[in-house]
C-alpha cells in the first residue's frame, strides 16, 4: 500500500477503475482535464491534511510491481530502474489510461527527497504496444556519487502524474542498500524459518531498534525465558511489512566467546542501533559492535563492556537509553551517546548505577557525581539519563519514595559538570510511578512518562502536564519522526496517540496480545510485531492513522450522565454527574480529563459540539468536572411522545441544600402529562437560567433535580409549556452520548522549495535563512479565534538569533515568517518546532520540525570560473580551438612533473600528473628529482587501469587527484592579467566571492615566475594587514584579482578563503599550462651572444682582407679558370 500526499490545489482526475461503462463516460472527461492541465499552470507546493486520496501508482525497482503494495525502492551499485503502472481492476483499463495520458503529453514524474536534497526525474513518455507500465532508468551518479558505507538518509519518493500538478500523488521510499552500514554485515549465524519457529514458546518479550537515518532498516530481538538460552535478532530492510523478508541471526556463540560457555540463562535484554554501532544488552553483559562503516570480515564482531560489581541479576533489569538523531553528512560536533541504567541504588563502593558513553563506546563513565564522605543525601534511583546534543547537557530523571525530579547538568568535553544548568524540576506527588524519559527523534521534545505523561520543550528546565492515566501506567512509547506520531502503550494494553509538541492526546484502541511490540517505519506507518507474525496498517485511511491495527477508534466517553447548560446560542457547558454514593476510589472515572480536550461530543439523537476547555471543580454539588464546548450541530431535544411532561408548565422550588423540586402544572385538560422513570438522567434546560438534572421521580407531578448553576436558579417561578426543554445525555438505556476525535481541522502548507517535512538548513557565519509556513483553518461550523495558530519553539535559543512574524491574511489563514541568523562563532545544531497547537491528532501534520545547523553545508563550495568555457565533449576529445586556431587543451605527458626553480629538467614536486606506474618517469636524471615524486591514487599498483580513476577525478583540478589528471587548460606565453573569477555555490544558489571573503593564493608545486594584481579599498586594508600578520602569507581582495605568468609549462594554483569569515574551509584549485614560451635563461642570451660573435668575426676578417689587398673572390675565379683549361686540353688529346 502506498502512502498518498495531498495536492495543493484540490484538483483530481476522475476515477476510472470501476466498470467499462464508467470508462466510456470518463475518458472524454479525461481528455478535457488533460487539455486544461496543459493550459493552466498549477502550484507545485504541497498542502498537507487535505484528506485521503486514492493510491493509483504501483512501482518497483526489483521485479514487476504488485498492486496495493507500498512503494519500496532500492538503490544498488547499478542504475535505478523503476517500473510503474496505473492501478486498475483489469489490464485493458490500465492500457487505456496509459494511452490517454501519453497522448495528452502526461507521464509520471519521480521526486527523490530527503532533508537536504530534492531531485525530479521524468518517466519515458514513449510507450510500446505491449507495455502496461511506465519505465524510468536513472544512473546512480545522477542521484548520488558516493558509494562509501556511511549513515545516509533513506529517501522519500513522490510519484505524481505530472510534476507540478500533484495529482494522483503516491509516496514510497528509496533505500541506498550498498551504503547502509548494518546491511553490509552478517550479525551471526543465519537461522532458518524452522529454527525460528522453535523459539516462539520461549519468547517473553520483544525489543526493536531502528536505524536513525533509515527507519525501514530495523532489528527485532527476542527476550527469552530461562528455559532456553540465546540471543536471537531479526533484521529487516523493508520495515517489517513482510515476515518472510526478515533475516534471522543467532548471536549466542558471539556472547559465549566473550564470557565463557559455563554461564547459563542467556537472553537479550535491550538493544540500540546508533548511526555507526550496534549495542546489545544481554543477561550476561553489555556488548558493543565494531564500527559498522568499516567491514573487516563477513561476520560482525563485538566486544564486552565491564561494569564492576554488576551481575546477571542487575543486567536483566538494565535498560539502554538513546537520543535518536540522524548523523548523515556528520559534523564534528555530532556524536552518539548511549546510557545504561540499573534498577538499584549505588553503594559507596560503586561508581554509579548509571553509565554513559559516546561512540565508539569504549569508555563508560558514571552518570552520577561521586558521593562525598559525610554527605547526607536521600538516595534516588536514576530512572533515565539522556544526553541532549542540542544544548550539550545531561538530563536525569530521579525517583525515590518521596518525589520525582528532573535535573540537568552541563556536558563539556564528554564530562558532566557538578553545577546544575537549571533549577531542579519537581513533579507533583501524583507522578508517583515514573518509567522513563525520551526525546522525540530529531527534535527537542522531551517526554517523561509513567502513570502520567509530561512534556518539556526547553531541555528539561520546565515540564508541561499532558496526561494522567490514574491507576494505569505507560510502559512503552513509540515514535515516528516523519509524521510526528507518538504512541503510548499502557500495562493494561490501552494505546494512546499524540503528536510531537501537541498538548492533547487520544485513545486509539487496545491490544490483547500478550507478547507484542509496536514500530513505526520510515513513512510513519505503524506495525504490530509479535513473535510469529507482523501486522501493518493495512487499511490506513491517511498518513499517521492507526485504524489498520486498532480497528475503529474507541469511544472516549465515560459512564456517567451529562447535564448541558447553555452559555450563549453557540456555546454550552456539559457537567459530568458524580452520584452522591460514588466510591472515592472510582470518582475519577466519572470526570472529564485532559484526553477530552479538542474532541467532539456526539449525541445519539443529533448534535455535535467541540470541546474547547476542561474544568475541574468542587461545586456545584454532584458536578466535579465540566467542559466548555462550541456547538457545531444543534443537539436534538426530547419530544412530547418521548417525555409527556413537556405538555405541562414547570415550577421550581428549593427542596434541600443542593436539590430542587420540579413540579408540573397541566395547562390543557385531557392531556396526559407526567414525570416517568425514563425521565431520570434527563436535563431540564431553561434559556437564561440554570439547567436541572433530574435524579429522582417523586410522583407523576414532582421530581427532584440538582442545578448546574445554583446562582441562576429561578426560585418560585413557573415556566409555561414550550419555554423549557428536555435533553437526554443519560445512560439508563445505554449511554446516549459519546466522545471521539475531531477530524483534521487545519491544512498545513510549506512556502519553501523543499518538499520534505524534516528539512535541514545550514546557516553559515554571518548568514541567515528564512522559512514561511501557512496554516489554513478547515473548521466547518467552528469559530476561528483571532489568536496565533502556530507556536514556535527553538531547541537551542543560544545558538541562533530567531525572529518570528505571524499574521492572518484575508482568508483567515495564518502565515508565519521566520528568520534565523548566526550570531556567534559557535557551531552546533538546533531544531525548530512549528506546532499547530489547536490541531486534531487525526491530522498528518501538526508539527513541522526543521533542523538548523550553524555550520558549513556539505553542499557549499568555491569554484573558479575559467576565462574560456570548454565544453565537456571537447575535454574528452582533447581539442578546443580558439579564434586564432590555437588548441586550448594540453594533453600532459605520462608521469609528468612541472619544472622547478632549478630548471625544466629538474622537477622537485611530489605531484605526478597523468600517472602510469607501468611507464618510465621522464626528467628523472638528477638525484633530487629521483627523491621527489610520489604516486597517490596510483600508489601500490602496477598499471594505470588499476588506479581506478573516475571521469570526475580525471577532470578534477584538485591536487589529491593529480595522478588521474590527463588534460589541462593551455595558454600562449605570456599570460597577462588573467582574471581569477571565483563563485561560492550552495543549495541556495551562487554568489561571487568578494569582501569579506579575502583569499590567499599559493602555487602547489612551489613554482615562481607569477604575480597577482588586485585593488585594496581602504575599508579592506586594515583587515588585510591584520590577517597577513597572523597567516604570514599575502592576502588578496578576490574582487578584480588578476594573474600574470612569465614561466612556462604547468602552474597549479590553490585559492583559499581566509579563516573567520565562514565555517567552511573554502578553497579551489585551478591549473594553467603555458606553452610556446621562449627559451629559458640563459639559452636565449647565449644564442644572441654566439650570433653576435660570429657576425663580428666575419666583419673583422673582411676588414683584414681589405687592408692587405687580398681578394679571395678573384683568387677563386682564377682557380676556376685554370681548372677549366686543364680539362679542355685533356679532352683534345
Amino acid at each position: 500500500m502506498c502512502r498518498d500526499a495531498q495536492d495543493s490545489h484540490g484538483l483530481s482526475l476522475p476515477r476510472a477503475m470501476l466498470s467499462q461503462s464508467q470508462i466510456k463516460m470518463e475518458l472524454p472527461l479525461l481528455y478535457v482535464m488533460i487539455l486544461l492541465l496543459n493550459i493552466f499552470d498549477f502550484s507545485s507546493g504541497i498542502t498537507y491534511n487535505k484528506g485521503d486520496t486514492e493510491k493509483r501508482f504501483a512501482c518497483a525497482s526489483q521485479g514487476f510491481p504488485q498492486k496495493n503494495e507500498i512503494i519500496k525502492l532500492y538503490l544498488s551499485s547499478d542504475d535505478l530502474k523503476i517500473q510503474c503502472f496505473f492501478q486498475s481492476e483489469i489490464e485493458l483499463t490500465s492500457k487505456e489510461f496509459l494511452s490517454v495520458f501519453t497522448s495528452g503529453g502526461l507521464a509520471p514524474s519521480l521526486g527523490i527527497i530527503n532533508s537536504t536534497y530534492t531531485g525530479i526525474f521524468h518517466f519515458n513518455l514513449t510507450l510500446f504496444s505491449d507495455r502496461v507500465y511506465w519505465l524510468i532508468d536513472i544512473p546512480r551518479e545522477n542521484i548520488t556519487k558516493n558509494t562509501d558505507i556511511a549513515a545516509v538518509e533513506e529517501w522519500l519518493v513522490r510519484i505524481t502524474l505530472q510534476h507540478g500538478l500533484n495529482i494522483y500523488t503516491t509516496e514510497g521510499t528509496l533505500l541506498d542498500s550498498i551504503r547502509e552500514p548494518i546491511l553490509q554485515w552478517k550479525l551471526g549465524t543465519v537461522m532458518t524459518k524452522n529454527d525460528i519457529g522453535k523459539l516462539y514458546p520461549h519468547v517473553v518479550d520483544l525489543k526493536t531498534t531502528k536505524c536513525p537515518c533509515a527507519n525501514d532498516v530495523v532489528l527485532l530481538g527476542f527476550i527469552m525465558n530461562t528455559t532456553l538460552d540465546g540471543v536471537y535478532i531479526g533484521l529487516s530492510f523493508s520495515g517489517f511489512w513482510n515476515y518472510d523478508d526478515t533475516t534471522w541471526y543467532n548471536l549466542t556463540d558471539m556472547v559465549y566467546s566473550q564470557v565463557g560457555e559455563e554461564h547459563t540463562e542467556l537472553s537479550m535484554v535491550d538493544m540500540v542501533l546508533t548511526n555507526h554501532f550496534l549495542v546489545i544488552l544481554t543477561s550476561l553483559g553489555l556488548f558493543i559492535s565494531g564500527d559498522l562503516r568499516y567491514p573487516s570480515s563477513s561476520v560482525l564482531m563485538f566486544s564486552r563492556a565491564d561494569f564492576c560489581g554488576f551481575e546477571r541479576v542487575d543486567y536483566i533489569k538494565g535498560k539502554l537509553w538513546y537520543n535518536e538523531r540522524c548523523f548523515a553528512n556528520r559534523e564534528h560536533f555530532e556524536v552518539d551517546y548511549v546510557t545504561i541504567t540499573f534498577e538499584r541504588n549505588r553503594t559507596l563502593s560503586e561508581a554509579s548505577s548509571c553509565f554513559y558513553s559516546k561512540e565508539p563506546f569504549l569508555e563508560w563513565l558514571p552518570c552520577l557525581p561521586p558521593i562525598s564522605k559525610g554527605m547526607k543525601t536521600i538516595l534516588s534511583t536514576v530512572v533515565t539519563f539522556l544526553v541532549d546534543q542540542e544544548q550539550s547537557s545531561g538530563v536525569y530523571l530521579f525517583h525515590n519514595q518521596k518525589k520525582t525530579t528532573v535535573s540537568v547538568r552541563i556536558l563539556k568535553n564528554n564530562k558532566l559538570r557538578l553545577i546544575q544548568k537549571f533549577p531542579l524540576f519537581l513533579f507533583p506527588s501524583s507522578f508517583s510511578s515514573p518509567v522513563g524519559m525520551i526525546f522525540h527523534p530529531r527534535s527537542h521534545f522531551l517526554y517523561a512518562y509513567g502513570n502520567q505523561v509530561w512534556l518539556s520543550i526547553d531541555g528539561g528546565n520546565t515540564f508541561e502536564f499532558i496526561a494522567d492515566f490514574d491507576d494505569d501506567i505507560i510502559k512503552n512509547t513509540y515514535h515516528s519522526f516523519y509524521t510526528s506520531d507518538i504512541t503510548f502503550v499502557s500495562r493494561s494494553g490501552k494505546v494512546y496517540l499524540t503528536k510531537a509538541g501537541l498538548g492533547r492526546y487520544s485513545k486509539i484502541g487496545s491490544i490483547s496480545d500478550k507478547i507484542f511490540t509496536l514500530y513505526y517505519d520510515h513513512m510513519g506507518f505503524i506495525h504490530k510485531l509479535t513473535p510469529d507474525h507482523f501486522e501493518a496498517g493495512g487499511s490506513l485511511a491517511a498518513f499517521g492513522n492507526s485504524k489498520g491495527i486498532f480497528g475503529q477508534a474507541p469511544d472516549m466517553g465515560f459512564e456517567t450522565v451529562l447535564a448541558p447548560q447553555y452559555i450563549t446560542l453557540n456555546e454550552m457547558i456539559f457537567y459530568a454527574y458524580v452520584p452522591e454514593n460514588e466510591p472515592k476510589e472510582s470518582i475519577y472515572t466519572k470526570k472529564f480529563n485532559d484526553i477530552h480536550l479538542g474532541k467532539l461530543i456526539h449525541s445519539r439523537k443529533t448534535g455535535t459540539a467541540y470541546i474547547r476547555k476542561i474544568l475541574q471543580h468542587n461545586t456545584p454539588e454532584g458536578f466535579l468536572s465540566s467542559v466548555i464546548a462550541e456547538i457545531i450541530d444543534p443537539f436534538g431535544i426530547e419530544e412530547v411522545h418521548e417525555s409527556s411532561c413537556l405538555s405541562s408548565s414547570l415550577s421550581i422550588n428549593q427542596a434541600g441544600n443542593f436539590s430542587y423540586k420540579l413540579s408540573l402544572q397541566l395547562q390543557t385538560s385531557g392531556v396526559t402529562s407526567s414525570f416517568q422513570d425514563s425521565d431520570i438522567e434527563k436535563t431540564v434546560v431553561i434559556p437564561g437560567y440554570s439547567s436541572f438534572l433530574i435524579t429522582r421521580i417523586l410522583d407523576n407531578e414532582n421530581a427532584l433535580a440538582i442545578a448546574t448553576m445554583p446562582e441562576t436558579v429561578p426560585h418560585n417561578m413557573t415556566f409555561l409549556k414550550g419555554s423549557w426543554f428536555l435533553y437526554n445525555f443519560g445512560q439508563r438505556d445505554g449511554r446516549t452520548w459519546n466522545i471521539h476525535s475531531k477530524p483534521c481541522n487545519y491544512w498545513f502548507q510549506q512556502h519553501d522549495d523543499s518538499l520534505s517535512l524534516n528539512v535541514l538548513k545550514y546557516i553559515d557565519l554571518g548568514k541567515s535563512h528564512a522559512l514561511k509556513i501557512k496554516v489554513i483553518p478547515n473548521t466547518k461550523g467552528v469559530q476561528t479565534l483571532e489568536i496565533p495558530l502556530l507556536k514556535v519553539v527553538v531547541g537551542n535559543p543560544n545558538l541562533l538569533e530567531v525572529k518570528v512574524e505571524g499574521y492572518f491574511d484575508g482568508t483567515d489563514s495564518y502565515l508565519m515568517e521566520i528568520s534565523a541568523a548566526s550570531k556567534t562563532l559557535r557551531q552546533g545544531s538546533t531544531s525548530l518546532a512549528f506546532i499547530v497547537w489547536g490541531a486534531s491528532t487525526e491530522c498528518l501534520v501538526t508539527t513541522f520540525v526543521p533542523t538548523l545547523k550553524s555550520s558549513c553545508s556539505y553542499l557549499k563550495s568555491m569554484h573558479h570560473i575559467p576565462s574560456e568555457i570548454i565544453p565537456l565533449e571537447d575535454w574528452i576529445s582533447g581539442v578546443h580551438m580558439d579564434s586564432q586556431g590555437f588548441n586550448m587543451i594540453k594533453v600532459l605527458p605520462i608521469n609528468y612533473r612541472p619544472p622547478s626553480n632549478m630548471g625544466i629538467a629538474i622537477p622537485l614536486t611530489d605531484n605526478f600528473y597523468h600517472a602510469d606506474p607501468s611507464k618510465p618517469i621522464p626528467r628523472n636524471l638528477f638525484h633530487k628529482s629521483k627523491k621527489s615524486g610520489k604516486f597517490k591514487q596510483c600508489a601500490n599498483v602496477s598499471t594505470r587501469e588499476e588506479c581506478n580513476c573516475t571521469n570526475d577525478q580525471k577532470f578534477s583540478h584538485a591536487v589529491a587527484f593529480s595522478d588521474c589528471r590527463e588534460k589541462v587548460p593551455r595558454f600562449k606565453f605570456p599570460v597577462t592579467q588573467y582574471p581569477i573569477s571565483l563563485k561560492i555555490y550552495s543549495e541556495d544558489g551562487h554568489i561571487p566571492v568578494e569582501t569579506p571573503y579575502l583569499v590567499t593564493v599559493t602555487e602547489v608545486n612551489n613554482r615562481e615566475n607569477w604575480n597577482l594584481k588586485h585593488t585594496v579599498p581602504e575599508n579592506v586594508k586594515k583587515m588585510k594587514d591584520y590577517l597577513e600578520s597572523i597567516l604570514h602569507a599575502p592576502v588578496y581582495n578576490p574582487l578584480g584579482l588578476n594573474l600574470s605568468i612569465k614561466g612556462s609549462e604547468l602552474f597549479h594554483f590553490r585559492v583559499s578563503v581566509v579563516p573567520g569569515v565562514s565555517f567552511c574551509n573554502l578553497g579551489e584549485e585551478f591549473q594553467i599550462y603555458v606553452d610556446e614560451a621562449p627559451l629559458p635563461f640563459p639559452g636565449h642570451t647565449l644564442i644572441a651572444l654566439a650570433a653576435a660573435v660570429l657576425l663580428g668575426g666575419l666583419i673583422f676578417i673582411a676588414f683584414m682582407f681589405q687592408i692587405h689587398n687580398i681578394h679571395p673572390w678573384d683568387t677563386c675565379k682564377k682557380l676556376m679558370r685554370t681548372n677549366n683549361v686543364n680539362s679542355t686540353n685533356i679532352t683534345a688529346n
Side-chain angles (χ1 to χ4, degrees):
M1 290 185 332
C2 309
R3 193 129 341 170
D4 298 332
Q6 317 307 325
D7 59 272
S8 62
H9 44 74
L11 179 65
S12 62
L13 293 178
R15 301 193 307 162
M17 299 168 57
L18 300 177
S19 67
Q20 291 292 338
S21 60
Q22 286 177 309
I23 292 169
K24 292 177 181 178
M25 294 175 61
E26 293 185 352
L27 281 177
L29 182 57
L30 260 179
Y31 287 112
V32 175
M33 296 296 286
I34 291 173
L35 177 62
L36 292 175
L37 293 176
N38 285 309
I39 293 175
F40 296 106
D41 180 27
F42 292 94
S43 167
S44 61
I46 300 295
T47 301
Y48 298 92
N49 303 340
K50 292 186 68 175
D52 188 28
T53 59
E54 296 173 89
K55 297 169 278 290
R56 293 302 189 122
F57 289 105
C59 304
S61 58
Q62 298 174 353
F64 192 77
Q66 301 297 315
K67 283 187 179 181
N68 298 321
E69 273 194 0
I70 190 168
I71 297 177
K72 295 287 183 184
L73 307 177
Y74 302 96
L75 182 63
S76 65
S77 55
D78 300 325
D79 295 346
L80 178 63
K81 297 181 179 180
I82 305 173
Q83 298 177 0
C84 286
F85 72 87
F86 194 79
Q87 295 194 92
S88 63
E89 295 178 350
I90 56 175
E91 182 179 338
L92 178 62
T93 307
S94 296
K95 279 188 176 182
E96 267 194 85
F97 270 88
L98 260 68
S99 177
V100 171
F101 292 142
T102 304
S103 63
L106 294 178
S109 63
L110 171 71
I112 299 179
I113 305 158
N114 64 17
S115 63
T116 59
Y117 168 82
T118 298
I120 305 297
F121 304 90
H122 300 279
F123 283 78
N124 293 332
L125 189 60
T126 303
L127 291 177
F128 297 97
S129 59
D130 60 341
R131 183 179 293 174
V132 296
Y133 57 85
W134 284 286
L135 179 67
I136 190 171
D137 190 343
I138 307 173
R140 177 184 171 89
E141 55 267 24
N142 289 1
I143 302 174
T144 176
K145 295 182 179 179
N146 298 319
T147 56
D148 58 308
I149 299 173
V152 59
E153 280 189 275
E154 183 174 2
W155 288 286
L156 170 73
V157 295
R158 182 174 289 133
I159 300 173
T160 62
L161 182 60
Q162 186 80 358
H163 175 59
L165 301 181
N166 298 318
I167 49 179
Y168 291 151
T169 301
T170 308
E171 291 189 350
T173 58
L174 173 63
L175 177 67
D176 194 339
S177 57
I178 69 169
R179 298 193 66 199
E180 183 56 46
I182 193 70
L183 298 182
Q184 316 308 317
W185 298 88
K186 284 177 60 179
L187 304 185
T189 304
V190 179
M191 303 179 68
T192 65
K193 193 172 183 179
N194 290 334
D195 295 335
I196 291 297
K198 297 175 183 178
L199 304 179
Y200 298 155
H202 307 280
V203 179
V204 295
D205 203 355
L206 303 172
K207 286 288 182 179
T208 61
T209 181
K210 51 191 176 182
C211 173
C213 294
N215 284 178
D216 280 344
V217 178
V218 57
L219 299 173
L220 173 65
F222 286 170
I223 298 179
M224 312 300 291
N225 59 23
T226 56
T227 61
L228 183 65
D229 292 350
V231 176
Y232 308 99
I233 295 176
L235 169 63
S236 173
F237 57 84
S238 57
F240 285 138
W241 279 90
N242 191 330
Y243 193 92
D244 293 334
D245 289 341
T246 306
T247 304
W248 293 93
Y249 295 97
N250 184 347
L251 282 73
T252 306
D253 292 342
M254 178 277 297
V255 175
Y256 281 135
S257 68
Q258 300 278 338
V259 301
E261 296 190 5
E262 67 275 9
H263 295 83
T264 58
E265 298 183 1
L266 168 64
S267 172
M268 193 201 75
V269 177
D270 204 351
M271 63 179 172
V272 164
L273 178 61
T274 71
N275 286 273
H276 306 133
F277 292 86
L278 174 60
V279 181
I280 303 176
L281 176 63
T282 73
S283 57
L284 298 182
L286 183 68
F287 296 86
I288 299 97
S289 75
D291 196 320
L292 300 174
R293 295 170 295 175
Y294 309 112
S296 55
S297 62
S298 59
V299 179
L300 185 59
M301 304 302 293
F302 289 80
S303 60
R304 187 173 185 267
D306 291 322
F307 298 97
C308 182
F310 292 90
E311 300 178 351
R312 183 184 182 281
V313 66
D314 301 308
Y315 286 120
I316 60 175
K317 295 182 179 179
K319 289 184 179 179
L320 297 178
W321 305 96
Y322 172 58
N323 183 359
E324 181 185 318
R325 286 184 176 271
C326 173
F327 290 154
N329 307 305
R330 180 180 174 184
E331 304 281 350
H332 67 86
F333 51 80
E334 293 178 323
V335 62
D336 274 322
Y337 285 85
V338 172
T339 303
I340 181 172
T341 57
F342 299 98
E343 284 190 16
R344 75 176 196 186
N345 293 326
R346 64 174 173 174
T347 63
L348 291 175
S349 61
E350 293 172 345
S352 182
S353 61
C354 163
F355 300 87
Y356 73 98
S357 179
K358 72 173 183 178
E359 60 178 281
F361 309 113
L362 299 177
E363 181 185 13
W364 290 82
L365 303 174
C367 306
L368 298 173
I371 300 176
S372 302
K373 291 184 178 180
M375 183 178 179
K376 293 183 179 181
T377 59
I378 300 177
L379 292 178
S380 295
T381 301
V382 181
V383 179
T384 307
F385 174 76
L386 294 170
V387 173
D388 181 356
Q389 287 104 326
E390 289 192 18
Q391 298 202 19
S392 300
S393 60
V395 188
Y396 301 82
L397 177 61
F398 290 112
H399 176 67
N400 58 35
Q401 295 180 350
K402 294 185 177 181
K403 60 184 179 180
T404 302
T405 57
V406 165
S407 172
V408 183
R409 291 199 175 101
I410 296 174
L411 183 71
K412 189 172 183 179
N413 298 325
N414 196 35
K415 304 291 184 182
L416 287 164
R417 292 186 174 183
L418 295 179
I419 302 174
Q420 298 276 354
K421 183 173 183 178
F422 305 123
L424 205 68
F425 183 85
L426 177 64
F427 291 101
S429 58
S430 57
F431 189 28
S432 56
S433 302
V435 172
M437 187 168 61
I438 189 168
F439 279 101
H440 184 70
R442 308 190 190 187
S443 77
H444 55 274
F445 298 120
L446 178 62
Y447 286 87
Y449 60 93
N451 65 307
Q452 295 178 345
V453 173
W454 293 75
L455 167 64
S456 174
I457 58 175
D458 54 11
N461 183 23
T462 60
F463 281 82
E464 172 190 353
F465 175 78
I466 299 295
D468 191 341
F469 302 97
D470 299 299
D471 56 352
D472 205 357
I473 294 176
I474 299 299
K475 65 173 184 177
N476 282 314
T477 68
Y478 305 93
H479 302 252
S480 168
F481 84 93
Y482 182 72
T483 61
S484 297
D485 278 9
I486 302 174
T487 296
F488 302 108
V489 178
S490 71
R491 290 180 179 174
S492 65
K494 294 178 181 177
V495 185
Y496 303 90
L497 174 70
T498 186
K499 293 283 190 172
L502 211 60
R504 55 189 62 178
Y505 68 106
S506 303
K507 183 180 178 182
I508 57 174
S510 60
I511 298 179
S512 57
D513 298 78
K514 184 178 180 182
I515 301 171
F516 74 94
T517 189
L518 299 181
Y519 150 73
Y520 280 102
D521 67 14
H522 197 77
M523 290 184 61
F525 285 105
I526 194 167
H527 302 248
K528 184 178 72 173
L529 312 179
T530 61
D532 58 348
H533 71 282
F534 303 151
E535 291 182 37
S539 60
L540 294 177
F543 290 104
N545 196 311
S546 306
K547 294 179 181 177
I549 293 177
F550 307 112
Q552 186 63 35
D555 176 12
M556 284 174 275
F558 46 99
E559 300 305 321
T560 193
V561 181
L562 299 185
Q565 169 72 59
Y566 273 93
I567 305 175
T568 67
L569 288 175
N570 299 317
E571 276 189 315
M572 62 168 46
I573 299 178
F574 286 95
Y575 290 87
Y577 175 59
V578 179
E580 190 175 355
N581 59 351
E582 184 71 25
K584 187 175 181 180
E585 60 272 12
S586 63
I587 286 179
Y588 74 91
T589 65
K590 305 288 184 181
K591 297 170 64 176
F592 286 105
N593 56 51
D594 294 275
I595 198 173
H596 301 122
L597 181 63
K599 307 303 186 297
L600 296 179
I601 295 180
H602 299 273
S603 170
R604 189 167 66 185
K605 186 182 288 287
T606 58
T608 306
Y610 173 63
I611 299 174
R612 285 199 177 276
K613 192 173 184 179
I614 308 290
L615 303 173
Q616 304 290 340
H617 40 73
N618 296 321
T619 58
E621 187 72 17
F623 301 116
L624 301 183
S625 65
S626 61
V627 295
I628 299 176
E630 182 178 345
I631 299 172
I632 298 176
D633 296 317
F635 290 99
I637 60 176
E638 295 293 281
E639 303 291 342
V640 174
H641 68 271
E642 296 171 307
S643 295
S644 60
C645 61
L646 289 167
S647 299
S648 300
S649 300
L650 180 70
S651 60
I652 301 166
N653 298 283
Q654 188 91 29
N657 291 333
F658 304 106
S659 61
Y660 298 86
K661 185 171 73 171
L662 308 182
S663 300
L664 299 178
Q665 298 175 8
L666 190 61
Q667 289 183 258
T668 306
S669 60
V671 176
T672 302
S673 179
S674 64
F675 284 118
Q676 303 169 4
D677 286 343
S678 61
D679 292 330
I680 296 177
E681 297 185 352
K682 293 182 181 179
T683 304
V684 174
V685 174
I686 305 172
Y689 298 95
S690 173
S691 297
F692 298 88
L693 176 64
I694 299 174
T695 58
R696 181 182 169 193
I697 304 299
L698 299 177
D699 52 43
N700 289 343
E701 296 181 353
N702 297 284
L704 288 181
I706 56 176
T708 58
M709 289 185 172
E711 295 83 2
T712 61
V713 170
H715 294 282
N716 303 319
M717 293 181 62
T718 300
F719 296 91
L720 299 178
K721 178 184 68 172
S723 63
W724 63 281
F725 311 94
L726 273 183
Y727 285 85
N728 185 6
F729 287 90
Q731 57 176 1
R732 287 176 65 86
D733 298 321
R735 186 150 43 89
T736 60
W737 59 277
N738 55 63
I739 298 178
H740 288 281
S741 293
K742 180 176 173 53
C744 187
N745 50 342
Y746 291 100
W747 295 351
F748 185 91
Q749 191 175 76
Q750 289 174 256
H751 286 234
D752 195 287
D753 292 337
S754 171
L755 301 178
S756 172
L757 281 172
N758 303 89
V759 63
L760 168 62
K761 294 295 182 181
Y762 292 87
I763 301 178
D764 202 356
L765 191 63
K767 303 298 182 181
S768 63
H769 183 77
L771 292 169
K772 190 174 181 181
I773 306 300
K774 186 176 184 179
V775 177
I776 306 169
N778 182 30
T779 52
K780 179 183 177 182
V782 178
Q783 179 184 1
T784 301
L785 303 178
E786 287 293 325
I787 56 177
L789 302 179
L790 273 172
K791 179 180 180 181
V792 182
V793 184
V794 184
N796 184 2
N798 297 320
L799 184 65
L800 299 171
E801 183 178 349
V802 180
K803 296 180 180 179
V804 179
E805 181 182 358
Y807 56 91
F808 284 92
D809 65 9
T811 62
D812 288 336
S813 297
Y814 186 74
L815 285 87
M816 180 167 282
E817 298 177 0
I818 303 95
S819 174
S822 66
K823 60 180 181 180
T824 64
L825 290 172
R826 180 183 172 189
Q827 290 183 272
S829 69
T830 180
S831 57
L832 291 181
F834 303 92
I835 308 164
V836 188
W837 56 267
S840 166
T841 54
E842 295 292 305
C843 295
L844 164 65
V845 178
T846 63
T847 310
F848 174 51
V849 187
T851 299
L852 302 180
K853 284 188 179 181
S854 178
S855 181
C856 173
S857 170
Y858 72 99
L859 297 171
K860 191 169 188 175
S861 58
M862 184 171 69
H863 294 277
H864 165 248
I865 309 302
S867 59
E868 178 80 16
I869 303 298
I870 300 177
L872 178 61
E873 55 269 21
D874 290 357
W875 276 115
I876 295 173
S877 67
V879 177
H880 180 78
M881 298 296 183
D882 65 4
S883 59
Q884 306 297 321
F886 180 78
N887 187 9
M888 298 193 68
I889 297 177
K890 172 68 177 180
V891 180
L892 296 173
I894 292 175
N895 294 327
Y896 171 79
R897 286 180 293 172
S900 70
N901 298 328
M902 298 181 68
I904 292 178
I906 313 175
L908 300 179
T909 179
D910 284 335
N911 300 315
F912 280 105
Y913 297 81
H914 199 173
D916 187 345
S918 65
K919 299 294 177 63
I921 300 175
R923 299 178 178 176
N924 208 32
L925 299 176
F926 296 93
H927 177 69
K928 287 187 177 182
S929 297
K930 292 179 179 179
K931 289 178 62 179
S932 64
K934 297 176 182 177
F935 291 124
K936 296 184 282 291
Q937 185 93 351
C938 296
N940 303 318
V941 299
S942 57
T943 64
R944 180 166 177 80
E945 288 72 22
E946 294 174 349
C947 299
N948 295 322
C949 290
T950 65
N951 287 331
D952 289 336
Q953 291 171 345
K954 289 179 181 180
F955 294 118
S956 172
H957 289 273
V959 69
F961 303 119
S962 65
D963 285 5
C964 300
R965 185 73 174 179
E966 300 175 353
K967 302 162 188 172
V968 293
R970 178 172 176 247
F971 291 82
K972 278 186 179 181
F973 179 89
V975 176
T976 57
Q977 301 299 308
Y978 176 83
I980 301 180
S981 178
L982 301 167
K983 286 187 178 181
I984 294 177
Y985 289 80
S986 68
E987 60 269 33
D988 298 322
H990 59 84
I991 58 172
V993 179
E994 53 190 20
T995 53
Y997 291 97
L998 301 182
V999 299
T1000 61
V1001 182
T1002 57
E1003 208 286 328
V1004 299
N1005 296 311
N1006 299 315
R1007 299 198 62 188
E1008 298 179 356
N1009 299 327
W1010 59 274
N1011 59 73
L1012 293 167
K1013 182 179 180 181
H1014 68 130
T1015 57
V1016 185
E1018 285 299 321
N1019 60 340
V1020 177
K1021 191 174 186 306
K1022 288 186 178 180
M1023 184 187 301
K1024 176 181 180 296
D1025 295 340
Y1026 172 75
L1027 289 170
E1028 287 179 339
S1029 65
I1030 295 177
L1031 301 175
H1032 305 291
V1035 175
Y1036 302 96
N1037 177 14
L1039 194 62
L1041 185 61
N1042 293 318
L1043 170 68
S1044 296
I1045 302 175
K1046 297 181 180 179
S1048 63
E1049 297 200 15
L1050 184 66
F1051 286 81
H1052 190 155
F1053 296 97
R1054 178 185 291 122
V1055 183
S1056 303
V1057 172
V1058 297
V1061 295
S1062 172
F1063 290 128
C1064 302
N1065 294 320
L1066 294 173
E1068 170 66 327
E1069 297 177 28
F1070 65 95
Q1071 296 149 348
I1072 292 178
Y1073 191 94
V1074 183
D1075 213 346
E1076 298 186 5
L1079 289 174
F1081 180 85
H1084 186 274
T1085 305
L1086 289 175
I1087 292 173
L1089 183 60
V1093 170
L1094 179 61
L1095 181 61
L1098 291 174
I1099 294 173
F1100 176 75
I1101 293 172
F1103 177 72
M1104 294 301 295
F1105 283 169
Q1106 187 69 29
I1107 291 177
H1108 293 83
N1109 199 24
I1110 299 174
H1111 303 285
W1113 179 243
D1114 293 339
T1115 304
C1116 288
K1117 285 183 184 180
K1118 288 180 180 180
L1119 288 174
M1120 290 175 64
R1121 289 193 190 115
T1122 303
N1123 290 335
N1124 289 336
V1125 170
N1126 290 334
S1127 60
T1128 301
N1129 292 333
I1130 291 169
T1131 301
N1133 292 330

